[in-house]
Amino acid sequence: MSTPPPTPTPSSWTTAQLQRMGTHQSGRNGARNAMPLEVPRYSPTGSKPGTIKVGSASWAVLAVLRKTGAWMTHAQILLATKRGTKSVCWALLYLQALGLIESGTDTRNSRYKRYRAKKLESI
């Protein structure tokens, strides 16, 4: 008696489907080639990864955190930057990934975070 094949994870199933797309016919245009997954993303603006554009939400969040130099909550950053919740959330994640800001837990609850810019000499 043979063992059944392992159940594929959602990501491996999706990857297999994307790679298989190039072998099937699609619509009126005939064969559609699948994009290899190793190809890096194309940036229409030509900016390099890790750069922050002047006027972007990341730029505004970093400017506010550097100006105050203090720990700020998400709500305080929203008010100071006059940006939307989603753009500020993404900017905070992006700036943390770049190592430009740090986060700490709030005294109210561990679900809440406070953010501040790292000192320039420690970057």
Side-chain angles (χ1 to χ4, degrees):
M1 176 178 259
S2 65
T3 60
T7 306
T9 61
S11 62
S12 66
W13 180 85
T14 305
T15 304
Q17 294 299 316
L18 288 171
Q19 290 173 339
R20 201 174 303 131
M21 282 176 60
T23 61
H24 296 290
Q25 297 292 323
S26 172
R28 288 182 268 179
N29 298 334
R32 181 170 70 182
N33 295 326
M35 183 175 86
L37 298 178
E38 295 80 26
V39 175
R41 291 185 185 177
Y42 168 73
S43 173
T45 59
S47 63
K48 296 179 182 176
T51 58
I52 300 173
K53 292 186 177 186
V54 175
S56 67
S58 299
W59 180 82
V61 169
L62 187 59
V64 165
L65 291 174
R66 283 188 175 162
K67 181 179 178 184
T68 62
W71 290 97
M72 295 181 74
T73 64
H74 184 265
Q76 291 169 330
I77 296 169
L78 284 173
L79 288 173
T81 59
K82 296 180 177 74
R83 302 287 177 135
T85 301
K86 291 181 180 180
S87 61
V88 169
C89 283
W90 180 255
L92 289 169
L93 290 170
Y94 182 62
L95 292 170
Q96 275 187 296
L98 293 177
L100 298 174
I101 65 171
E102 57 187 341
S103 67
T105 56
D106 198 345
T107 56
R108 297 175 291 173
N109 191 323
S110 61
R111 291 184 306 158
Y112 298 104
K113 288 188 172 185
R114 292 171 109 45
Y115 303 91
R116 74 173 175 187
K118 286 187 176 178
K119 304 286 187 224
L120 290 177
E121 58 271 2
S122 68
I123 296 178

